[in-house]
Amino acid sequence: MTSKKRARTSDRVFLNVGGEVFQTTISTLTANSEFFSRKFSSEWSTEDTDDEIFLDRDADSFRVLLSCMRHRTALLPEEDPLLCARVLLEYINRAAQTQDYSRLGQP
């Protein structure tokens, strides 16, 4: 394989998240994610192969996130309340980081 990324022939993608492999589609990942939209744009330079993309994240948390991306709703595992709390806190933290506070206090 050359150093440039080959054009993908399908929408399917494999993600290695914390050692666990997930299979999904690029359209699912990019529909509501600025991170994945940039990741799959032609501007992003990567050393990942076309076969698998590595994300150094917690697989259990990513499973919940991917479920949210697929179903457009949170389907949290009731048997793991700590995972649910961790996913919720990470989401709140990310939302707070992207929030525009420059207009606070202005009429």
Side-chain angles (χ1 to χ4, degrees), residues 6-8 10 13 24 31-32 51-52 67 76 79-80 86:
R6 292 181 292 150
R8 291 188 183 272
S10 85
V13 65
T24 189
N32 292 303
D51 297 331
E52 192 172 278
S67 179
L76 300 174
E79 68 277 357
D80 194 348
R86 189 170 60 216

Side-chain angles (χ1 to χ4, degrees), residues 103-107:
R103 297 177 53 103
L104 285 178
Q106 296 178 3

Side-chain angles (χ1 to χ4, degrees), residues 4-16:
K4 291 189 176 201
K5 284 179 74 173
R6 292 181 292 150
R8 291 188 183 272
T9 56
S10 85
D11 192 40
R12 187 172 48 182
V13 65
F14 294 90
L15 302 170
N16 179 335

Side-chain angles (χ1 to χ4, degrees), residues 29-41 44 69 98:
L29 294 172
T30 59
N32 292 303
S33 170
E34 189 174 321
F35 170 81
F36 284 112
S37 293
R38 286 186 302 209
K39 175 75 173 157
F40 292 106
S41 76
W44 186 296
M69 291 173 149
T98 60

Side-chain angles (χ1 to χ4, degrees), residues 13-77:
V13 65
F14 294 90
L15 302 170
N16 179 335
V17 183
E20 187 170 335
V21 178
F22 292 84
Q23 179 178 338
T24 189
T25 62
I26 293 171
S27 56
T28 294
L29 294 172
T30 59
N32 292 303
S33 170
E34 189 174 321
F35 170 81
F36 284 112
S37 293
R38 286 186 302 209
K39 175 75 173 157
F40 292 106
S41 76
S42 60
E43 299 168 6
W44 186 296
S45 174
T46 182
E47 293 182 12
D48 293 321
T49 67
D50 284 348
D51 297 331
E52 192 172 278
I53 296 169
F54 178 74
L55 298 175
D56 189 17
R57 296 287 180 252
D58 179 63
D60 292 332
S61 297
F62 186 78
R63 180 178 294 102
V64 173
L65 176 63
L66 183 58
S67 179
C68 291
M69 291 173 149
R70 287 176 173 156
H71 304 289
R72 306 268 197 270
T73 187
L75 303 173
L76 300 174

